[in-house]
């Protein structure tokens, strides 16, 4: 939560938020965070409930008086127009996206549709919406992948690093970022772009590296590490991402961009070994022990970015944000969450998921 005694607020509560993609991984962590810290704010979630969206992620919020869930597509202009007007929205926090790189390689179409066309529809709707509240804002939640790939000794990505996306996913996010920027420059739609590094934590869909490894260890299945396992990602606990967005929403002027990162660069193979150690310690009766015996190097992801690293000094200096959860603590909590919430992830591994898994891994 933003410390009101030390920071300059541009936007104060109560606010009226439309959160797109709020039933996904980061979106649901954000909605829970927001309802807890700002209970007087209206929080309307619009989510299409694709394979990655899960109503269960928000089930504990149904009794919250200011929370509303709407199942719908961000590409549906009339739905969005109606929601903005009926709910007098002054703040859009835009998470909705197709988010998985491997799926974008198999089938890019949905990525162009949701990430580019969907963002365009939201921008158009917000451009024609005139909230009565002061300081409306559209926060576009984007990714560090738009900057492309670093080699070992390159400096970390900063806000002025040129875009060089390498996957259909990152290209579609880059396209959406350009639209968001253009709507500020051309129409003065009050937008802010955030580019964040890899998130981890509770409610992350099983296809992503950390949940996939945790679940496969529990099931005694092989742990597929792409290529030589030396690719590096900069990991951030999802709640710290939400805290950063809190600072952006309350404190940032429109037209800004912020890089958000955990300052936690870890090689994939080292991360998988840490997860194995944690599972060996915390999980009773693992089918294969020690679980690192399950590690298998598999064919590399096409266009696989070698290294991401974020220079987060702008948000640290201007908004006073820094990560609060260490990677050791965050990974331990995440492993414990997947251990304690088998009833959440088991139903997600049905035939649709198995078909996807076979396509990528066999
Ligand atoms: P996710 O895949 O877990 O969730 C995406 C959500 O968007 C789902 O609930 C899905 O149902 C919804 N959605 C998809 N298409 C939609 C549509 N057309 N209309 C309405 N809803 C739709 O994604 P995530 O990992 O939580 O990522 C959220 C956002 O943060 C994305 O924009 C992503 O690019 C960005 N991001 C993610 C990470 C990360 O590490 N996961 C890091 C940086 C930025
Ligand atoms: O950097 C931010 C991005 O992080 C977000 O924009 C994306 O939405 C999010 O999915 C994530 O992208 P990555 O491609 O980095 O995440 P993923 O979990 O898919 O993979 C992390 C690393 O692990 C990557 O180098 C690929 C590797 N990997 C992944 C899987 C699923 C494996 O080695 N084996 C696997 O089975």
């Amino acid at each position: 939560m933003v410390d009101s005694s030390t920071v300059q607020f541009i936007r104060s509560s109560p606010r009226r938020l439309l959160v797109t993609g709020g039933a996904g991984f980061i979106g649901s962590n954000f909605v829970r965070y927001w309802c807890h810290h700002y209970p007087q704010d209206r929080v309307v979630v619009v989510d299409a409930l694709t394979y990655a969206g899960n109503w269960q992620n928000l089930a504990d919020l149904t009794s919250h008086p200011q929370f509303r869930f709407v199942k719908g597509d961000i590409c549906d202009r009339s739905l969005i127009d109606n929601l903005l007007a009926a709910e007098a929205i002054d703040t859009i926090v835009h998470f909705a996206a197709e988010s998985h790189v491997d799926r974008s390689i198999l089938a890019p179409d949905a990525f162009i549709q949701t990430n580019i066309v969907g963002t365009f529809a939201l921008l158009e709707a917000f451009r024609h919406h005139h909230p009565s509240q002061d300081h409306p804002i559209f926060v576009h939640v984007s990714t560090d992948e738009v900057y492309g790939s670093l080699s070992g000794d390159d400096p970390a990505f900063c806000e002025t690093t040129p875009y060089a996306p390498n996957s259909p996913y990152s290209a579609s996010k880059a396209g959406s970022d350009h639209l968001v920027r253009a709507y500020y420059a051309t129409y003065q739609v009050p937008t802010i772009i955030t580019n964040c590094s890899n998130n981890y934590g509770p409610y992350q869909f099983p296809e992503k590296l950390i949940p996939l490894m945790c679940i496969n260890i529990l099931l005694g299945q092989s742990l597929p590490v792409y290529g030589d396992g030396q690719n590096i990602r900069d990991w951030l606990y999802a709640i710290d991402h939400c805290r950063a967005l809190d600072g952006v929403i309350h404190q940032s002027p429109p037209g800004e961009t912020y890089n958000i990162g955990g300052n936690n660069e870890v090689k994939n193979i080292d991360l998988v070994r840490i997860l194995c150690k944690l599972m060996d310690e915390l999980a009773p009766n693992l089918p294969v022990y020690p679980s690192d015996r399950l590690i298998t190097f598999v064919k590399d992801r096409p266009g696989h970015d070698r290294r991401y690293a974020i220079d987060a000094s702008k948000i640290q200096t201007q908004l006073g944000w820094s990560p609060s959860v260490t990677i050791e603590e965050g990974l331990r909590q995440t492993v414990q969450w997947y251990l304690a919430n088998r009833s959440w992830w088991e139903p997600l591994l049905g035939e649709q998921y198995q078909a996807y898994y076979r396509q990528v891994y066999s």
Side-chain angles (χ1 to χ4, degrees):
M1 189 177 191
V2 178
D3 179 356
S4 54
S5 62
T6 54
V7 299
Q8 185 82 36
F9 275 67
I10 290 178
R11 295 175 205 86
S12 50
S13 286
R15 304 199 63 74
R16 302 186 67 86
L17 280 67
L18 180 69
V19 181
T20 74
F25 161 48
I26 308 172
S28 62
N29 276 286
F30 175 84
V31 171
R32 185 169 295 97
Y33 169 95
W34 205 271
C35 289
H36 178 69
H37 287 99
Y38 304 104
Q40 72 281 33
D41 284 7
R42 179 72 164 159
V43 179
V44 180
V45 169
V46 62
D47 195 299
L49 296 182
T50 67
Y51 79 93
N54 187 345
W55 163 244
Q56 289 301 320
N57 297 359
L58 298 168
D60 55 315
L61 294 170
T62 45
S63 59
H64 188 287
Q66 296 286 25
F67 170 76
R68 177 181 171 198
F69 179 80
V70 177
K71 181 173 187 286
D73 192 324
I74 56 165
C75 301
D76 181 345
R77 224 351 250 292
S78 61
L79 169 76
I80 302 297
D81 285 343
N82 289 338
L83 278 177
L84 293 181
E87 292 284 354
I89 296 298
D90 55 50
T91 304
I92 293 186
V93 192
H94 177 31
F95 294 97
E98 289 293 335
S99 70
H100 192 41
V101 174
D102 293 319
R103 286 188 194 256
S104 82
I105 295 167
L106 291 172
D109 311 50
F111 289 75
I112 305 305
Q113 184 62 21
T114 288
N115 299 2
I116 301 180
V117 179
T119 301
F120 168 67
L122 283 174
L123 285 166
E124 272 293 288
F126 205 52
R127 177 160 86 92
H128 295 287
H129 171 62
H130 300 289
S132 51
Q133 295 89 335
D134 281 345
H135 305 298
I137 196 72
F138 181 122
V139 179
H140 177 60
V141 181
S142 192
T143 170
D144 61 356
E145 299 203 10
V146 297
Y147 298 121
S149 184
L150 296 169
S151 58
D153 47 6
D154 285 336
F157 302 130
C158 62
E159 286 78 1
T160 52
T161 302
Y163 277 27
N166 289 315
S167 72
Y169 163 68
S170 53
S172 68
K173 291 295 289 189
S176 66
D177 291 11
H178 291 321
L179 279 171
V180 173
R181 177 192 155 88
Y183 268 62
Y184 176 70
T186 306
Y187 304 115
Q188 293 78 52
V189 174
T191 61
I192 297 169
I193 300 171
T194 59
N195 296 92
C196 188
S197 64
N198 286 63
N199 284 217
Y200 68 101
Y203 301 102
Q204 189 167 29
F205 192 79
E207 67 195 355
K208 304 283 167 60
L209 179 73
I210 289 179
L212 186 141
M213 295 298 165
C214 291
I215 290 168
N216 283 16
I217 293 169
L218 290 170
L219 298 177
Q221 292 178 0
S222 73
L223 307 178
V225 176
Y226 295 159
D228 60 6
Q230 300 296 307
N231 303 67
I232 292 173
R233 296 292 181 266
D234 173 1
W235 294 96
L236 180 71
Y237 199 55
I239 290 298
D240 276 326
H241 188 181
C242 300
R243 289 176 51 253
L245 294 171
D246 182 340
V248 166
I249 290 164
H250 283 117
Q251 301 172 65
S252 170
E256 290 292 343
T257 68
Y258 294 96
N259 281 359
I260 303 169
N263 209 14
N264 282 313
E265 286 186 57
V266 187
K267 286 181 183 154
N268 290 343
I269 185 64
D270 294 340
L271 181 66
V272 173
R273 288 194 192 286
I274 295 170
L275 293 171
C276 289
K277 278 220 165 61
L278 282 167
M279 277 290 179
D280 288 352
E281 177 196 332
L282 297 169
N285 308 319
L286 284 176
V288 174
Y289 180 92
S291 56
D292 64 3
R293 283 167 43 204
L294 293 166
I295 292 175
T296 313
F297 290 92
V298 300
K299 189 161 69 74
D300 209 352
R301 172 187 277 176
H304 194 179
D305 289 332
R306 194 63 172 169
R307 172 178 165 240
Y308 302 145
I310 280 280
D311 174 350
S313 50
K314 178 177 172 186
I315 191 168
Q316 283 169 4
T317 317
Q318 293 190 2
L319 306 185
W321 173 87
S322 58
S324 66
V325 180
T326 64
I327 184 125
E328 292 79 15
E329 206 180 313
L331 287 176
R332 180 171 285 268
Q333 282 179 26
T334 304
V335 166
Q336 279 167 333
W337 191 87
Y338 281 92
L339 265 171
N341 289 280
R342 204 175 178 116
S343 62
W344 179 86
W345 54 260
E346 235 166 17
L348 304 177
L349 309 182
E351 185 39 46
Q352 236 191 348
Y353 182 75
Q354 298 306 327
Y356 157 78
Y357 200 93
R358 282 192 298 274
Q359 266 190 297
V360 176
Y361 296 99
S362 58

